[in-house]
Amino acid sequence: MTLANAFNRVVTIPRVAIALLLLVGLVLFHDAFNPTAYYRPKSLVAPAAPGPPNDVTDSNTTATPPSLHASTCLTAPGADKVFVLLKTGATELYSKLPTHLLTLFKCTPHYMLFSDLEQSYSGYPIHDALAPVSKDIRDHHDNFELYRKLLQYQREGQDVGSLKGDTGWNLDKWKFLPMLFRSFEEAPEEIEWFVMIEADTSVSWNNLLLWLGTMKGATKPFYLGAQNVIGDTTFAHGGSGVIISRQATRQLQAVREREGKEVYDKRWESLTAESCCGDEIIARALLEANVPLTPSWPVIQGETVATLDWTANHWCSVAITWHHVAPIELDALWQFQTQWVDKHGWKTPYLYRDVYEHFIDRHVSVNRSSWNNLSQDKKFIAPNLAEGLDEDLTVMSDWEQRSVDSGDACATACDKMRDWGCLQWMFSPGRCYVGRVMRFGKSDEREDEHWTSGWMGDRIAEFMKELEHCKPKWKGVGG
């Protein structure tokens, strides 16, 4: 061996050792570097939750090995009775649709995809939800300026994604009723449920089928969703998911046919022009058909895993939908439910509790820097930063005044507020915010203001212990 070779060998060995140490460090501390690490899948360890009401579970059915369930999601119990409508926009189609095609729609026998352009995406037909709207409105109404631009870009072969902007909201409200009537007409006779979702809605296929299996959609007029109110109309929030039974559609179609489709559609176009929102229009049309909303929050709700308030309101409820979900979150939630079905089968629902234990629990055991955990229930603000209705810190106790000095002082303030119910805190110089509800929040690394956040682990553990043996809740508040 030459002297040069011997020298290279001596130098290479420590280099390899250092590289291996760096690799191990990245694996061990990956969560610290990756703010979205809570979406990384992990094996399920949660115990099986009790099944739904007896009319869903057949005790005489021979159990199928769990590993076979996930591979047969197209034939899951009740899957053939559900028709899913996904509403999106042409400007976001390529960024949001692919994840749905790789997840939910691999398990959905009956569905239609609606946008504001008639087109094909990798062989999947995309229907123009606005095509049934009167030509005069499409050609001249101010709300349809984007629609006319989309058609122009499509003709010219331009990228419609470059038109993404706020004007899509004005156009969106016109899609709801036309796409519903289109799907009613095209759905097979065996369909009992129509489920409308948006491109940023996540659906638990297993929990949805179990929930709908507890009702009789072919014979009862159900209109289900997370309740919202505009004026004197209570309606199902569109992004959280709108569910309409076959019987409800029959009653809605009967009103339309009695009035005459052309007259009916023209009347509702006038009403849509005056309304802010298409989901509110659906509620009014269904009320006219004697189908009021059955409130279904929190089983249907509009938060994400990061923004949800992890309270008793949600903890023991069956988790069916999420809203404002990014593609990475959509995929993570789908992987979670796939693992759940692999372990527990198609007749066991998962609860919000199980989602918390899988995605959040391990991440709130330590303080997080550059993190906003959405604490808002009480604010301590230094006098030089206070404004408007902010409380006067100078008249408060010593420990409340010191809470704005450091993260440790803010944590101490939360610790002293046990009787008040403090579960979490977040600190930025001169500000200490505390919260009575547990939320995870998000990274603020790219924001102008940075926070340090923490949670009271012992109190969260007490809360979890109190609800350890609760039974699954299938109905929404008021439902």
Side-chain angles (χ1 to χ4, degrees):
M1 180 184 295
T2 67
L3 181 61
N5 287 340
F7 177 78
N8 287 336
R9 184 176 179 185
V10 170
V11 171
T12 301
I13 291 174
R15 283 178 178 171
V16 172
I18 292 171
L20 287 173
L21 286 172
L22 286 173
L23 182 60
V24 170
L26 285 171
V27 171
L28 290 176
F29 300 104
H30 180 256
D31 285 3
F33 303 126
N34 181 8
T36 61
Y38 68 99
Y39 290 117
R40 190 177 65 230
K42 72 170 185 177
S43 59
L44 291 173
V45 295
N54 292 332
D55 57 342
V56 177
T57 307
D58 182 357
S59 59
N60 296 320
T61 301
T62 303
T64 306
S67 61
L68 296 181
H69 285 292
S71 63
T72 56
C73 59
L74 277 168
T75 57
D80 59 335
K81 300 183 185 301
V82 178
F83 194 101
V84 179
L85 301 72
L86 182 136
K87 177 176 66 64
T88 185
T91 61
E92 64 180 10
L93 186 75
Y94 286 86
S95 61
K96 293 186 177 180
L97 181 59
T99 308
H100 284 285
L101 296 178
L102 293 171
T103 55
L104 177 64
F105 292 122
K106 290 177 66 176
C107 295
T108 311
H110 306 291
Y111 65 90
M112 291 181 73
L113 309 174
F114 288 92
S115 178
D116 31 34
L117 276 181
E118 192 83 16
Q119 61 185 117
S120 175
Y121 176 84
S122 297
Y124 292 91
I126 312 297
H127 303 280
D128 182 358
L130 299 166
V133 177
S134 301
K135 186 176 186 300
D136 184 60
I137 290 179
R138 286 186 282 119
D139 289 347
H140 302 292
H141 198 286
D142 290 345
N143 286 168
F144 281 75
E145 182 180 351
L146 174 61
Y147 182 70
R148 294 188 287 272
K149 199 72 174 176
L150 287 167
L151 291 174
Q152 175 194 335
Y153 269 46
Q154 187 182 52
R155 288 193 302 270
E156 297 172 352
Q158 297 190 63
D159 178 15
V160 297
S162 63
L163 296 174
K164 189 173 183 179
D166 295 337
T167 56
W169 177 253
N170 294 328
L171 191 60
D172 186 75
K173 68 180 182 179
W174 295 86
K175 299 175 186 176
F176 284 78
L177 273 182
M179 63 185 278
L180 280 177
F181 284 122
R182 173 79 182 273
S183 60
F184 296 164
E185 292 166 358
E186 301 214 6
E189 284 299 319
E190 67 268 20
I191 295 300
E192 296 183 6
W193 297 99
F194 294 86
V195 178
M196 180 189 292
I197 62 172
E198 300 189 357
D200 59 353
T201 309
S202 171
V203 178
S204 166
W205 189 232
N206 180 42
N207 285 354
L208 175 67
L209 296 180
L210 287 171
W211 185 49
L212 296 181
T214 67
M215 295 173 272
K216 298 179 180 179
T219 59
K220 294 186 177 182
F222 286 110
Y223 164 43
L224 308 165
Q227 54 270 33
N228 253 342
V229 178
I230 293 180
D232 58 358
T233 303
T234 301
F235 64 98
H237 176 237
S240 303
V242 179
I243 303 174
I244 303 172
S245 71
R246 167 68 80 176
Q247 180 56 34
T249 71
R250 292 192 184 110
Q251 294 179 204
L252 183 60
Q253 287 174 303
V255 174
R256 188 178 184 224
E257 289 169 1
R258 282 196 303 268
E259 185 173 344
K261 291 183 180 180
E262 186 175 343
V263 176
Y264 179 95
D265 291 347
K266 187 174 182 179
R267 176 168 64 88
W268 278 102
E269 285 176 358
S270 297
L271 294 171
T272 300
E274 299 169 358
S275 174
C276 72
C277 315
D279 40 12
E280 186 258 355
I281 285 292
I282 288 179
R284 288 164 62 185
L286 284 166
L287 271 176
E288 192 177 74
N290 198 29
V291 185
L293 175 70
T294 298
S296 305
W297 180 90
V299 294
I300 302 292
Q301 56 84 29
E303 298 295 331
T304 68
V305 173
T307 62
L308 186 73
D309 53 303
W310 296 96
T311 63
N313 286 332
H314 291 96
W315 198 253
C316 300
S317 291
V318 177
I320 297 177
T321 67
W322 306 85
H323 187 218
H324 295 305
V325 177
I328 185 176
E329 299 167 312
L330 193 76
D331 178 56
L333 286 163
W334 187 262
Q335 290 186 51
F336 166 73
Q337 66 171 302
T338 298
Q339 293 176 40
W340 181 272
V341 173
D342 278 342
K343 185 176 180 64
H344 302 289
W346 284 103
K347 292 189 175 183
T348 302
Y350 62 81
L351 312 182
Y352 283 102
R353 170 195 66 198
D354 304 307
V355 177
Y356 175 87
E357 291 177 355
H358 181 80
F359 287 107
I360 303 297
D361 189 42
R362 68 190 187 277
H363 291 290
V364 296
S365 59
V366 294
N367 299 342
R368 298 176 75 93
S369 59
S370 294
W371 196 267
N372 183 329
N373 71 5
L374 306 177
S375 296
Q376 293 288 329
D377 293 318
K378 189 171 180 59
K379 300 179 180 180
F380 302 107
I381 302 174
N384 63 309
L385 298 176
E387 56 185 34
L389 299 177
D390 292 336
E391 294 184 55
D392 185 358
L393 191 69
T394 62
V395 301
M396 297 184 188
S397 65
D398 289 342
W399 58 267
E400 288 173 317
Q401 294 184 46
R402 288 194 300 272
S403 68
V404 300
D405 294 339
S406 67
D408 287 343
C410 186
T412 297
C414 186
D415 184 54
K416 289 179 176 293
M417 298 171 72
R418 172 181 284 274
D419 292 340
W420 179 79
C422 190
L423 290 179
Q424 62 179 50
W425 56 270
M426 64 187 206
F427 168 81
S428 183
R431 300 180 188 273
C432 172
Y433 294 177
V434 293
R436 281 174 161 169
V437 298
M438 218 298 294
R439 288 187 174 93
F440 186 51
K442 62 179 182 178
S443 168
D444 61 22
E445 287 182 354
R446 297 188 178 184
E447 305 294 334
D448 294 333
E449 187 172 40
H450 303 295
W451 297 84
T452 297
S453 292
W455 298 263
M456 310 306 288
D458 59 333
R459 296 173 195 173
I460 294 173
E462 289 173 7
F463 162 77
M464 295 173 67
K465 186 70 174 177
E466 289 175 4
L467 296 175
E468 185 177 8
H469 300 295
C470 64
K471 295 181 179 179
K473 297 178 180 178
W474 290 87
K475 289 186 177 182
V477 175

